[in-house]
Coordinates of all heavy atoms in Angstrom, one line a residue:
S1 N -77.9 82.3 81.2 CA -78.1 83.7 81.0 C -78.2 83.9 79.4 O -77.7 84.9 78.9 CB -77.0 84.5 81.6 OG -75.9 84.6 80.7
Q2 N -78.9 83.0 78.8 CA -79.2 83.2 77.4 C -80.6 83.5 77.2 O -81.5 83.3 78.1 CB -78.8 81.9 76.6 CG -77.3 81.6 76.5 CD -77.1 80.4 75.7 OE1 -78.0 79.6 75.4 NE2 -75.8 80.1 75.4
T3 N -80.9 84.0 76.0 CA -82.3 84.2 75.7 C -83.1 82.9 75.6 O -82.7 81.9 75.0 CB -82.4 84.9 74.3 OG1 -81.8 86.2 74.4 CG2 -83.9 85.2 73.9
T4 N -84.2 82.9 76.3 CA -85.1 81.7 76.3 C -86.5 82.1 76.0 O -86.9 83.3 76.1 CB -85.1 81.0 77.7 OG1 -85.7 81.8 78.6 CG2 -83.7 80.6 78.1
C5 N -87.2 81.1 75.5 CA -88.6 81.4 75.1 C -89.4 81.8 76.4 O -90.3 82.7 76.3 CB -89.2 80.3 74.4 SG -90.7 80.7 73.4
E6 N -89.2 81.1 77.5 CA -90.0 81.4 78.7 C -89.5 82.6 79.4 O -90.3 83.4 80.0 CB -89.9 80.2 79.6 CG -90.5 78.9 79.1 CD -89.6 78.2 78.2 OE1 -88.4 78.3 78.2 OE2 -90.1 77.4 77.3
G7 N -88.2 82.8 79.5 CA -87.6 83.8 80.3 C -87.4 85.2 79.6 O -87.1 86.2 80.2
G8 N -87.5 85.2 78.3 CA -87.1 86.4 77.5 C -85.7 86.6 77.5 O -84.8 85.8 77.7
I9 N -85.3 87.9 77.2 CA -83.9 88.2 77.1 C -83.3 88.3 78.5 O -84.0 88.7 79.4 CB -83.7 89.5 76.3 CG1 -84.3 90.7 76.9 CG2 -84.1 89.4 74.9 CD1 -84.0 92.0 76.2
P10 N -82.0 88.0 78.6 CA -81.4 88.0 79.9 C -81.3 89.4 80.5 O -81.3 90.4 79.8 CB -80.0 87.4 79.7 CG -79.8 87.5 78.2 CD -81.1 87.6 77.5
L11 N -81.3 89.5 81.8 CA -81.2 90.7 82.6 C -79.9 91.5 82.3 O -80.0 92.8 82.3 CB -81.4 90.5 84.1 CG -82.8 90.0 84.5 CD1 -82.8 89.8 86.0 CD2 -83.8 91.1 84.1
W12 N -78.9 90.8 81.9 CA -77.6 91.6 81.7 C -77.8 92.5 80.5 O -77.1 93.5 80.4 CB -76.4 90.7 81.6 CG -76.4 89.8 80.4 CD1 -76.8 88.5 80.3 CD2 -75.9 90.1 79.1 NE1 -76.7 88.0 79.0 CE2 -76.1 89.0 78.3 CE3 -75.3 91.2 78.5 CZ2 -75.7 88.9 76.9 CZ3 -75.0 91.2 77.2 CH2 -75.1 90.1 76.4
I13 N -78.7 92.2 79.5 CA -78.9 93.1 78.4 C -79.4 94.4 78.9 O -79.0 95.5 78.5 CB -79.9 92.5 77.4 CG1 -79.4 91.2 76.8 CG2 -80.3 93.5 76.3 CD1 -78.3 91.4 75.8
Y14 N -80.4 94.4 79.8 CA -80.9 95.6 80.4 C -79.9 96.3 81.3 O -79.8 97.5 81.2 CB -82.2 95.3 81.3 CG -83.3 94.8 80.5 CD1 -83.7 93.4 80.6 CD2 -84.0 95.6 79.6 CE1 -84.7 92.9 79.8 CE2 -85.1 95.1 78.8 CZ -85.4 93.8 79.0 OH -86.5 93.3 78.2
A15 N -79.0 95.6 81.9 CA -77.9 96.2 82.7 C -77.0 96.9 81.9 O -76.5 98.0 82.2 CB -77.3 95.1 83.6
V16 N -76.7 96.4 80.7 CA -75.8 97.1 79.7 C -76.6 98.3 79.1 O -76.0 99.4 78.9 CB -75.4 96.1 78.6 CG1 -74.7 96.9 77.5 CG2 -74.5 95.1 79.2
Y17 N -77.8 98.2 78.9 CA -78.6 99.2 78.2 C -78.9 100.4 79.1 O -78.8 101.6 78.6 CB -80.0 98.7 77.8 CG -81.0 99.7 77.5 CD1 -80.9 100.5 76.4 CD2 -82.1 99.9 78.3 CE1 -81.8 101.6 76.2 CE2 -83.0 100.9 78.1 CZ -82.9 101.7 77.0 OH -83.7 102.7 76.8
L18 N -79.1 100.3 80.4 CA -79.5 101.4 81.2 C -78.4 102.5 81.3 O -78.8 103.7 81.2 CB -79.9 100.9 82.6 CG -81.3 100.3 82.7 CD1 -81.5 99.7 84.1 CD2 -82.4 101.2 82.3
P19 N -77.1 102.2 81.4 CA -76.1 103.3 81.4 C -76.1 104.0 80.0 O -75.9 105.2 80.0 CB -74.8 102.5 81.6 CG -75.1 101.3 82.3 CD -76.5 100.9 81.8
L20 N -76.4 103.3 78.9 CA -76.5 103.9 77.6 C -77.7 104.9 77.5 O -77.6 106.0 77.0 CB -76.5 102.9 76.5 CG -75.3 102.0 76.4 CD1 -75.6 100.9 75.4 CD2 -74.1 102.8 76.1
L21 N -78.8 104.5 78.1 CA -80.0 105.3 78.2 C -79.6 106.6 79.0 O -80.0 107.7 78.6 CB -81.2 104.6 78.8 CG -82.4 105.5 79.0 CD1 -83.0 106.0 77.7 CD2 -83.5 104.7 79.8
F22 N -79.0 106.4 80.2 CA -78.6 107.5 81.0 C -77.8 108.5 80.3 O -77.9 109.7 80.4 CB -78.0 107.0 82.3 CG -77.6 108.0 83.3 CD1 -78.6 108.7 84.0 CD2 -76.3 108.4 83.5 CE1 -78.3 109.7 84.9 CE2 -76.0 109.4 84.3 CZ -77.0 110.1 85.1
R23 N -76.8 107.9 79.6 CA -75.9 108.8 78.8 C -76.6 109.6 77.8 O -76.4 110.8 77.6 CB -74.7 108.0 78.2 CG -73.7 108.9 77.5 CD -72.7 108.1 76.7 NE -71.8 109.0 76.1 CZ -71.9 109.7 75.0 NH1 -73.1 109.6 74.4 NH2 -71.0 110.4 74.5
A24 N -77.5 109.0 77.0 CA -78.3 109.6 76.0 C -79.1 110.8 76.6 O -79.2 111.9 76.0 CB -79.2 108.6 75.3
K25 N -79.7 110.5 77.8 CA -80.5 111.6 78.4 C -79.6 112.7 78.9 O -80.0 113.9 78.9 CB -81.4 111.0 79.5 CG -82.5 110.1 78.9 CD -83.4 111.0 78.1 CE -84.0 110.4 76.9 NZ -84.8 111.3 76.1
C26 N -78.4 112.4 79.4 CA -77.5 113.4 79.8 C -77.0 114.3 78.6 O -76.9 115.5 78.8 CB -76.2 112.8 80.5 SG -76.5 112.1 82.1
V27 N -76.8 113.7 77.5 CA -76.4 114.5 76.3 C -77.6 115.4 75.9 O -77.4 116.5 75.6 CB -76.0 113.5 75.1 CG1 -76.0 114.2 73.8 CG2 -74.7 112.8 75.4
E28 N -78.8 114.8 76.0 CA -80.0 115.6 75.6 C -80.1 116.8 76.6 O -80.4 117.9 76.2 CB -81.2 114.7 75.7 CG -82.5 115.5 75.3 CD -83.7 114.5 75.3 OE1 -83.6 113.3 75.3 OE2 -84.8 115.1 75.2
W29 N -79.9 116.6 77.9 CA -80.0 117.6 78.9 C -78.9 118.7 78.6 O -79.2 119.9 78.7 CB -79.8 117.0 80.3 CG -79.9 118.1 81.4 CD1 -78.9 118.6 82.1 CD2 -81.1 118.7 81.8 NE1 -79.4 119.5 83.0 CE2 -80.7 119.6 82.8 CE3 -82.4 118.6 81.4 CZ2 -81.6 120.4 83.5 CZ3 -83.3 119.5 82.1 CH2 -82.9 120.3 83.1
R30 N -77.7 118.3 78.3 CA -76.7 119.3 77.9 C -77.1 120.1 76.7 O -76.8 121.3 76.7 CB -75.3 118.5 77.6 CG -74.7 118.0 78.8 CD -73.3 117.4 78.5 NE -72.8 116.7 79.6 CZ -71.8 115.8 79.6 NH1 -71.3 115.5 78.4 NH2 -71.4 115.2 80.6
M31 N -77.7 119.5 75.7 CA -78.2 120.2 74.6 C -79.2 121.2 75.0 O -79.2 122.4 74.5 CB -78.7 119.3 73.5 CG -77.6 118.5 72.9 SD -78.1 117.1 71.8 CE -79.2 117.9 70.7
L32 N -80.1 120.9 75.9 CA -81.1 121.8 76.4 C -80.5 123.0 77.1 O -81.0 124.1 77.0 CB -82.1 121.0 77.3 CG -83.1 120.1 76.6 CD1 -83.9 119.3 77.6 CD2 -84.1 120.9 75.7
R33 N -79.5 122.7 77.8 CA -78.8 123.8 78.6 C -78.1 124.7 77.6 O -78.2 126.0 77.8 CB -77.7 123.2 79.5 CG -78.3 122.6 80.7 CD -77.3 122.1 81.8 NE -76.0 122.7 81.8 CZ -74.9 122.2 82.2 NH1 -74.9 120.9 82.6 NH2 -73.8 122.8 82.3
V34 N -77.5 124.2 76.5 CA -76.9 125.1 75.5 C -78.0 126.0 74.8 O -77.8 127.2 74.6 CB -76.2 124.3 74.5 CG1 -75.8 125.1 73.2 CG2 -74.9 123.6 75.1
L35 N -79.2 125.4 74.6 CA -80.3 126.1 74.0 C -81.0 127.0 75.0 O -82.1 127.6 74.7 CB -81.3 125.2 73.4 CG -80.7 124.4 72.2 CD1 -81.7 123.3 71.8 CD2 -80.3 125.3 71.0
K36 N -80.6 127.0 76.3 CA -81.2 127.8 77.3 C -82.6 127.3 77.6 O -83.5 128.1 77.9 CB -81.2 129.3 77.0 CG -79.9 129.8 76.7 CD -79.1 130.1 78.0 CE -77.8 131.0 77.6 NZ -76.6 130.2 77.5
A37 N -82.9 126.0 77.4 CA -84.2 125.5 77.6 C -84.3 124.4 78.7 O -85.2 123.7 78.9 CB -84.7 124.9 76.3
A38 N -83.2 124.4 79.5 CA -83.0 123.3 80.5 C -83.7 123.8 81.8 O -83.3 124.8 82.4 CB -81.6 123.0 80.8
R39 N -84.8 123.2 82.2 CA -85.5 123.4 83.4 C -85.8 122.1 84.0 O -86.0 121.1 83.3 CB -86.8 124.2 83.1 CG -86.5 125.6 82.6 CD -87.8 126.4 82.4 NE -87.5 127.7 81.9 CZ -87.4 128.0 80.6 NH1 -87.5 127.1 79.7 NH2 -87.2 129.3 80.3
C40 N -86.0 122.1 85.3 CA -86.4 120.8 86.0 C -87.6 120.2 85.4 O -87.7 119.0 85.3 CB -86.4 121.0 87.4 SG -84.8 121.2 88.3
R41 N -88.6 121.0 85.1 CA -89.8 120.5 84.5 C -89.6 119.8 83.2 O -90.4 119.0 82.7 CB -90.9 121.5 84.5 CG -90.6 122.6 83.5 CD -91.7 123.7 83.6 NE -91.3 124.8 82.8 CZ -92.1 125.6 82.1 NH1 -93.4 125.4 82.2 NH2 -91.7 126.6 81.4
A42 N -88.5 120.2 82.5 CA -88.2 119.5 81.2 C -87.9 118.1 81.3 O -88.2 117.3 80.5 CB -87.1 120.2 80.5
L43 N -87.4 117.7 82.5 CA -87.1 116.3 82.8 C -88.4 115.5 82.9 O -88.4 114.3 82.6 CB -86.3 116.1 84.1 CG -84.9 116.6 84.0 CD1 -84.3 116.5 85.4 CD2 -84.0 115.9 83.1
F44 N -89.5 116.1 83.2 CA -90.8 115.4 83.4 C -91.7 115.7 82.2 O -92.9 115.4 82.3 CB -91.4 115.7 84.7 CG -90.5 115.3 85.9 CD1 -89.8 116.3 86.5 CD2 -90.3 114.0 86.2 CE1 -88.9 116.0 87.6 CE2 -89.5 113.7 87.3 CZ -88.8 114.7 87.9
S45 N -91.2 116.3 81.2 CA -92.1 116.6 80.0 C -92.3 115.4 79.2 O -91.6 114.4 79.3 CB -91.4 117.6 79.1 OG -90.3 117.1 78.5
M46 N -93.4 115.4 78.5 CA -93.8 114.3 77.6 C -92.7 113.9 76.6 O -92.4 112.8 76.3 CB -95.1 114.6 76.9 CG -96.3 114.4 77.8 SD -96.5 112.8 78.5 CE -97.3 112.0 77.2
G47 N -92.1 115.0 76.1 CA -91.0 114.7 75.1 C -89.8 114.0 75.7 O -89.3 113.0 75.1
F48 N -89.4 114.3 76.9 CA -88.3 113.7 77.6 C -88.7 112.2 77.9 O -87.9 111.3 77.7 CB -87.9 114.5 78.8 CG -86.5 114.3 79.2 CD1 -85.5 115.1 78.6 CD2 -86.1 113.4 80.2 CE1 -84.2 114.9 78.9 CE2 -84.8 113.3 80.6 CZ -83.8 114.1 79.9
I49 N -89.8 112.1 78.5 CA -90.3 110.7 78.8 C -90.5 109.8 77.6 O -90.1 108.7 77.6 CB -91.6 110.8 79.7 CG1 -91.2 111.5 81.0 CG2 -92.2 109.4 79.9 CD1 -92.4 111.9 81.9
L50 N -91.2 110.4 76.6 CA -91.3 109.6 75.4 C -90.0 109.3 74.7 O -89.9 108.2 74.1 CB -92.3 110.3 74.4 CG -93.8 110.3 74.9 CD1 -94.6 111.1 73.9 CD2 -94.3 108.9 75.0
G51 N -89.0 110.2 74.9 CA -87.7 109.9 74.4 C -87.1 108.6 75.0 O -86.4 107.8 74.4
C52 N -87.3 108.5 76.3 CA -86.8 107.3 77.1 C -87.5 106.1 76.5 O -86.9 105.0 76.3 CB -87.1 107.4 78.5 SG -86.1 108.7 79.4
L53 N -88.8 106.1 76.3 CA -89.6 105.0 75.8 C -89.2 104.7 74.4 O -89.1 103.5 74.0 CB -91.1 105.3 75.9 CG -91.7 105.4 77.3 CD1 -93.1 105.8 77.2 CD2 -91.4 104.1 78.1
D54 N -88.9 105.7 73.6 CA -88.5 105.4 72.2 C -87.1 104.7 72.2 O -86.9 103.8 71.4 CB -88.4 106.8 71.4 CG -88.0 106.6 70.0 OD1 -88.6 105.7 69.3 OD2 -87.1 107.3 69.5
N55 N -86.2 105.2 73.0 CA -84.9 104.6 73.2 C -85.0 103.1 73.6 O -84.4 102.3 73.1 CB -84.1 105.4 74.2 CG -82.6 105.1 74.1 OD1 -82.2 104.0 74.3 ND2 -81.9 106.1 73.8
A56 N -85.9 102.9 74.6 CA -86.1 101.5 75.0 C -86.7 100.6 73.9 O -86.4 99.4 73.8 CB -87.0 101.5 76.2
D57 N -87.5 101.2 73.1 CA -88.1 100.5 72.0 C -87.0 100.0 71.0 O -87.1 98.9 70.5 CB -89.1 101.4 71.2 CG -89.8 100.7 70.1 OD1 -90.3 99.6 70.3 OD2 -89.8 101.2 68.9
W58 N -86.0 100.8 70.8 CA -84.9 100.3 70.0 C -84.2 99.1 70.5 O -83.9 98.2 69.8 CB -83.8 101.4 69.8 CG -84.2 102.5 68.8 CD1 -85.0 103.6 69.0 CD2 -83.8 102.5 67.5 NE1 -85.1 104.3 67.9 CE2 -84.4 103.7 66.9 CE3 -83.0 101.7 66.7 CZ2 -84.2 104.0 65.6 CZ3 -82.8 102.1 65.4 CH2 -83.4 103.2 64.8
V59 N -84.1 99.0 71.8 CA -83.5 97.8 72.5 C -84.4 96.6 72.2 O -83.9 95.5 71.9 CB -83.2 98.1 73.9 CG1 -82.8 96.8 74.7 CG2 -82.2 99.2 74.1
T60 N -85.6 96.8 72.5 CA -86.5 95.6 72.3 C -86.7 95.2 70.9 O -86.8 94.0 70.6 CB -87.9 95.9 72.9 OG1 -88.5 97.1 72.3 CG2 -87.9 96.1 74.4
D61 N -86.6 96.2 69.9 CA -86.6 95.9 68.5 C -85.4 95.0 68.1 O -85.5 94.1 67.3 CB -86.6 97.1 67.7 CG -88.0 97.8 67.7 OD1 -89.0 97.2 68.2 OD2 -88.1 99.0 67.2
G62 N -84.3 95.4 68.7 CA -83.1 94.6 68.5 C -83.1 93.2 69.1 O -82.5 92.2 68.5
A63 N -83.8 93.1 70.2 CA -83.9 91.8 70.9 C -84.9 90.9 70.3 O -84.9 89.7 70.4 CB -84.1 92.0 72.4
F64 N -85.9 91.4 69.6 CA -87.0 90.7 69.1 C -86.6 89.5 68.1 O -87.0 88.4 68.3 CB -88.0 91.6 68.4 CG -89.1 90.8 67.7 CD1 -90.1 90.1 68.5 CD2 -89.1 90.7 66.3 CE1 -91.1 89.4 67.8 CE2 -90.1 89.9 65.7 CZ -91.1 89.3 66.5
P65 N -85.7 89.8 67.1 CA -85.4 88.7 66.2 C -84.7 87.5 67.0 O -84.9 86.4 66.6 CB -84.4 89.3 65.2 CG -84.7 90.8 65.3 CD -85.2 91.1 66.7
V66 N -83.9 87.8 68.0 CA -83.2 86.8 68.8 C -84.3 86.0 69.5 O -84.2 84.7 69.6 CB -82.2 87.4 69.7 CG1 -81.6 86.3 70.6 CG2 -81.1 88.1 69.0
Q67 N -85.2 86.7 70.1 CA -86.3 86.0 70.9 C -87.1 85.2 69.9 O -87.5 84.0 70.3 CB -87.2 87.1 71.6 CG -88.3 86.5 72.4 CD -87.8 86.0 73.7 OE1 -86.8 86.3 74.2 NE2 -88.6 85.0 74.2
A68 N -87.5 85.7 68.8 CA -88.3 84.9 67.8 C -87.5 83.7 67.3 O -88.1 82.6 67.2 CB -88.7 85.8 66.6
Y69 N -86.3 83.8 67.1 CA -85.5 82.7 66.6 C -85.4 81.6 67.7 O -85.5 80.4 67.4 CB -84.1 83.1 66.3 CG -83.2 82.0 65.8 CD1 -83.3 81.4 64.6 CD2 -82.2 81.4 66.7 CE1 -82.6 80.4 64.2 CE2 -81.5 80.4 66.3 CZ -81.6 79.8 65.0 OH -80.9 78.8 64.6
T70 N -85.3 82.0 69.0 CA -85.2 81.1 70.1 C -86.5 80.3 70.2 O -86.6 79.1 70.5 CB -84.8 81.8 71.4 OG1 -83.6 82.4 71.2 CG2 -84.8 80.8 72.5
C71 N -87.6 81.1 70.1 CA -88.9 80.5 70.3 C -89.5 79.7 69.2 O -90.1 78.6 69.4 CB -89.9 81.6 70.7 SG -89.6 82.4 72.2
E72 N -89.2 80.1 68.0 CA -89.8 79.4 66.8 C -89.0 79.6 65.6 O -89.2 80.6 64.9 CB -91.2 79.8 66.6 CG -92.0 79.1 65.5 CD -92.0 77.6 65.8 OE1 -92.5 77.2 66.8 OE2 -91.6 76.8 64.9
P73 N -88.0 78.8 65.3 CA -87.2 79.0 64.1 C -88.0 79.1 62.8 O -87.6 79.8 61.9 CB -86.2 77.8 64.1 CG -86.2 77.4 65.5 CD -87.5 77.6 66.1
M74 N -89.1 78.4 62.7 CA -89.9 78.4 61.5 C -90.5 79.8 61.3 O -90.6 80.2 60.2 CB -91.0 77.3 61.5 CG -90.5 75.9 61.6 SD -89.5 75.5 60.2 CE -90.8 75.4 59.0
V75 N -91.0 80.4 62.3 CA -91.5 81.7 62.2 C -90.4 82.8 61.8 O -90.7 83.6 61.0 CB -92.2 82.2 63.5 CG1 -92.6 83.6 63.5 CG2 -93.3 81.3 63.9
T76 N -89.3 82.6 62.3 CA -88.2 83.4 61.9 C -87.8 83.3 60.4 O -87.6 84.3 59.8 CB -86.9 83.2 62.8 OG1 -87.2 83.3 64.2 CG2 -85.8 84.1 62.5
A77 N -87.8 82.1 59.9 CA -87.6 81.9 58.5 C -88.7 82.6 57.7 O -88.4 83.3 56.6 CB -87.5 80.4 58.2
A78 N -89.9 82.5 58.1 CA -91.0 83.1 57.3 C -90.9 84.6 57.4 O -91.1 85.4 56.4 CB -92.4 82.6 57.9
F79 N -90.5 85.1 58.6 CA -90.4 86.6 58.8 C -89.2 87.1 57.9 O -89.4 88.1 57.2 CB -90.1 86.8 60.3 CG -89.9 88.3 60.6 CD1 -91.0 89.1 60.6 CD2 -88.7 88.8 61.1 CE1 -90.8 90.5 61.0 CE2 -88.5 90.1 61.4 CZ -89.6 90.9 61.4
A80 N -88.1 86.4 57.9 CA -87.0 86.8 57.0 C -87.3 86.7 55.5 O -86.9 87.5 54.7 CB -85.8 85.9 57.3
K81 N -88.1 85.7 55.2 CA -88.6 85.6 53.7 C -89.4 86.8 53.3 O -89.3 87.2 52.1 CB -89.3 84.3 53.6 CG -89.6 84.0 52.1 CD -90.2 82.6 52.0 CE -90.6 82.2 50.6 NZ -90.5 83.1 49.5
T82 N -90.2 87.4 54.2 CA -91.0 88.6 53.8 C -90.1 89.7 53.4 O -90.4 90.5 52.5 CB -91.9 89.0 54.9 OG1 -91.2 89.4 56.0 CG2 -92.9 88.0 55.2
F83 N -88.9 89.9 54.0 CA -88.0 90.9 53.6 C -87.3 90.6 52.3 O -87.2 91.5 51.5 CB -86.9 91.1 54.7 CG -87.4 91.8 55.9 CD1 -87.7 91.1 57.1 CD2 -87.5 93.1 55.9 CE1 -88.1 91.7 58.2 CE2 -88.0 93.8 57.0 CZ -88.3 93.1 58.2
S84 N -86.9 89.3 52.1 CA -86.3 89.0 50.8 C -87.3 89.0 49.6 O -86.9 89.3 48.5 CB -85.6 87.6 50.9 OG -86.6 86.6 51.1
D85 N -88.6 88.8 49.9 CA -89.6 88.8 48.8 C -90.1 90.2 48.5 O -90.7 90.4 47.5 CB -90.8 88.0 49.2 CG -90.4 86.5 49.2 OD1 -89.4 86.1 48.7 OD2 -91.2 85.7 49.7
S86 N -89.8 91.2 49.4 CA -90.3 92.5 49.2 C -89.6 93.2 47.9 O -88.4 93.1 47.8 CB -90.0 93.4 50.4 OG -90.4 94.7 50.2
P87 N -90.5 93.8 47.1 CA -89.9 94.4 45.9 C -89.2 95.8 46.2 O -88.5 96.4 45.4 CB -91.1 94.7 45.0 CG -92.3 94.8 45.9 CD -91.9 93.9 47.1
V88 N -89.4 96.3 47.5 CA -88.8 97.5 47.8 C -87.7 97.3 48.8 O -87.8 96.4 49.7 CB -89.9 98.4 48.5 CG1 -89.4 99.7 49.0 CG2 -91.1 98.6 47.6
W89 N -86.6 98.0 48.7 CA -85.5 97.9 49.7 C -86.1 98.2 51.0 O -86.8 99.2 51.2 CB -84.4 99.0 49.3 CG -83.2 98.9 50.1 CD1 -82.4 97.8 50.4 CD2 -82.6 100.0 50.8 NE1 -81.4 98.1 51.2 CE2 -81.4 99.4 51.4 CE3 -82.9 101.3 50.9 CZ2 -80.6 100.2 52.2 CZ3 -82.0 102.1 51.7 CH2 -80.9 101.5 52.3
W90 N -85.9 97.3 52.0 CA -86.7 97.3 53.2 C -86.7 98.6 54.0 O -87.8 98.9 54.6 CB -86.3 96.1 54.1 CG -84.9 96.2 54.7 CD1 -83.8 95.6 54.1 CD2 -84.5 96.8 55.9 NE1 -82.7 95.9 54.9 CE2 -83.1 96.6 56.0 CE3 -85.2 97.5 56.9 CZ2 -82.4 97.1 57.1 CZ3 -84.4 98.0 58.0 CH2 -83.1 97.8 58.0
P91 N -85.7 99.4 54.1 CA -85.8 100.7 54.9 C -86.8 101.6 54.2 O -87.4 102.5 54.8 CB -84.4 101.3 54.9 CG -83.5 100.2 54.6 CD -84.2 99.2 53.7
L92 N -87.1 101.5 52.9 CA -88.0 102.4 52.2 C -89.4 101.8 52.0 O -90.2 102.4 51.3 CB -87.4 102.7 50.8 CG -86.0 103.4 50.8 CD1 -85.5 103.6 49.4 CD2 -86.0 104.7 51.6
A93 N -89.6 100.6 52.5 CA -90.9 99.9 52.4 C -92.0 100.7 53.0 O -91.8 101.3 54.1 CB -90.8 98.5 52.9
P94 N -93.1 100.7 52.4 CA -94.3 101.5 53.1 C -94.7 100.8 54.3 O -94.6 99.5 54.5 CB -95.3 101.4 52.0 CG -95.0 100.2 51.2 CD -93.5 100.1 51.2
L95 N -95.2 101.6 55.3 CA -95.8 101.0 56.5 C -97.1 100.5 56.2 O -97.8 99.9 56.5 CB -95.8 102.1 57.6 CG -94.4 102.6 58.0 CD1 -94.6 103.7 59.0 CD2 -93.6 101.6 58.6

């Protein structure tokens, strides 16, 4: 149940993540209720759905360095070097 190059990240990562996603969406729904904007159609709105995808993107972004390290340590070293060589503090680096 470790990250492998062939199998990707283990399923237990997703099992841990799904309750967190559910909680985040419950908090969002409560906020919509406070703002008097909670309607059933809001659950199927593009904003709500894209919010789920954005949240899932954070999980895969976090898993990517582990996956890259497992698959190719040399690529990971080169990837890390780009951050250390950057003249800009990485959160402020231009896209």
Side-chain angles (χ1 to χ4, degrees):
S1 87
Q2 291 183 348
T3 298
T4 65
C5 200
E6 296 81 25
I9 60 176
L11 289 178
W12 67 265
I13 297 287
Y14 295 108
V16 169
Y17 161 69
L18 285 176
L20 298 174
L21 172 65
F22 182 74
R23 183 186 183 283
K25 291 295 146 182
C26 285
V27 168
E28 185 176 346
W29 182 253
R30 285 183 190 164
M31 290 169 56
L32 287 171
R33 283 182 31 206
V34 168
L35 296 171
K36 308 279 192 258
R39 294 182 180 88
C40 286
R41 66 183 174 148
L43 291 174
F44 301 103
S45 69
M46 284 300 279
F48 207 82
I49 293 169
L50 289 176
C52 290
L53 295 175
D54 183 50
N55 196 298
D57 182 51
W58 279 84
V59 172
T60 56
D61 288 348
F64 173 73
V66 176
Q67 182 75 24
Y69 179 76
T70 301
C71 293
E72 185 59 55
M74 297 300 288
V75 173
T76 303
F79 182 67
K81 187 171 179 355
T82 62
F83 284 102
S84 65
D85 291 348
S86 175
V88 179
W89 185 53
W90 67 268
L92 302 177
L95 300 173

